[in-house]
Amino acid sequence: MERITFKNEAGLTLVGHFYAAPSKSIIIMTHGFLSNKSSSGRFDRFAIKLQQNGYNVLTYDCSGYGESDDTAIHFAKQVTDLRAAKKYSHELGMKKFAFWGHSLGGRLSLTCYESDIDTMVLTGPVTGAIAYQHVDDFSEEQVAQCECNGSAVFYVDDPWRTEIVLDKQMLADFNHMDQAAILQNVHCPILVIHGTEGDLEKELAQITKQGEKLFPAGTKIMELDGADHGFMEQLDEIETLGLHWLHEHFSVK
């Protein structure tokens, strides 16, 4: 694994980990809300396994997260971050691309689809509008701070930073997502994995089910019994399912 840096279109430095393999196929992994390139250790272990199976892997901190440059976060900024990660992958000489996203990283993956993306693996993805109050434990004080000052500070358990600044726009970003408009522009098979436990994961699964007919041909939507939004007790199963899917839909050649 190599620590790498690259720039987004705003000139901010993003920090990532590149797992090199002897192929031109790369999987770009995008973390969720208030997380980082490790994704609570999920991406670390998945990336090593994928590398062992012949895939290059890039994990990265969105701007305002982890080791990347500071900024107040909102969705449009993170879209430019994923596009910058893909551009960097092109510069590394990669020819074939797949996305792997968790939670909000799933929405980012769908939003950033381009015709050279062969497939996606999405765990607990945000696939439609969801009330921001349901996404995290926003306090009334934090919401009021966002509304009045334009941003609010979240203190996080992160090895690289102690706080993340939430832009007011992010509250609206959760509330407003046109599921049909985004999904109609995606044209690759997707593995969507949801859990059956926890209020947040149940709601996310229901949102996906409501739009099931909108997903591209070849998509598989499944639920893991007993899994909550973190899937921390199901990482072995996620790893196996993801690898099997990639072996069927994403060549390492």
Side-chain angles (χ1 to χ4, degrees):
M1 181 270 289
E2 175 187 1
R3 182 182 183 274
I4 53 89
T5 62
F6 55 95
K7 300 279 189 179
N8 67 10
E9 67 177 21
L12 297 176
T13 297
L14 307 184
V15 178
H17 289 158
F18 178 61
Y19 299 77
S23 75
K24 297 296 183 181
S25 298
I26 189 166
I27 300 164
I28 302 174
M29 309 187 83
T30 302
H31 63 76
F33 184 57
L34 304 183
S35 188
N36 55 46
K37 59 183 170 293
S38 174
S39 190
S40 299
R42 303 177 193 87
F43 285 1
D44 297 334
R45 62 166 288 174
F46 294 159
I48 291 171
K49 191 65 156 182
L50 293 166
Q51 180 189 38
Q52 292 171 344
N53 279 264
Y55 299 107
N56 294 278
V57 182
L58 176 64
T59 68
Y60 68 100
D61 295 320
C62 288
S63 54
Y65 293 87
E67 293 185 271
S68 291
D69 280 353
D70 292 338
T71 190
I73 63 171
H74 64 67
F75 189 72
K77 290 181 181 179
Q78 294 175 56
V79 168
T80 67
D81 295 338
L82 177 49
R83 287 176 176 161
K86 187 164 178 281
K87 179 182 178 183
Y88 177 78
S89 299
H90 271 292
E91 293 168 355
L92 290 175
M94 298 297 124
K95 303 296 184 184
K96 297 175 68 64
F97 301 87
F99 284 164
W100 186 306
H102 178 68
S103 192
L104 189 62
R107 177 179 173 182
L108 283 162
S109 299
L110 293 170
T111 302
C112 292
Y113 170 81
E114 294 178 308
S115 59
D116 58 355
I117 304 297
D118 287 356
T119 191
M120 302 184 195
V121 176
L122 309 179
T123 57
V126 178
T127 64
I130 182 171
Y132 64 80
Q133 296 96 329
H134 298 181
V135 176
D136 212 303
D137 294 325
F138 292 97
S139 69
E140 292 183 4
E141 180 182 2
Q142 287 168 320
V143 173
Q145 183 183 357
C146 259
E147 296 292 345
C148 294
N149 302 331
S151 64
V153 175
F154 272 78
Y155 295 97
V156 291
D157 181 13
D158 187 305
W160 298 292
R161 64 170 60 232
T162 59
E163 60 186 46
I164 287 173
V165 180
L166 181 74
D167 192 291
K168 176 182 177 181
Q169 179 60 41
M170 195 74 200
L171 304 181
D173 292 337
F174 282 118
N175 282 331
H176 304 292
M177 176 183 175
D178 190 332
Q179 186 182 54
I182 290 178
L183 291 175
Q184 73 180 3
N185 292 320
V186 181
H187 304 290
C188 71
I190 306 168
L191 175 62
V192 180
I193 304 174
H194 280 293
T196 61
E197 298 299 320
D199 291 342
L200 173 58
E201 189 58 26
K202 288 178 180 179
E203 183 168 359
L204 290 171
Q206 184 58 35
I207 291 168
T208 294
K209 290 174 186 176
Q210 289 170 354
E212 185 169 1
K213 293 182 179 179
L214 301 171
F215 282 84
T219 291
K220 182 177 182 179
I221 299 172
M222 60 181 301
E223 290 183 305
L224 296 185
D225 287 338
D228 61 19
H229 189 57
F231 297 92
M232 298 307 290
E233 301 300 319
Q234 291 80 24
L235 295 183
D236 287 344
E237 193 167 359
I238 295 285
E239 188 175 272
T240 299
L241 290 167
L243 267 174
H244 181 72
W245 180 265
L246 291 166
H247 284 156
E248 288 189 341
H249 296 91
F250 190 51
S251 171
V252 296
K253 296 181 181 180

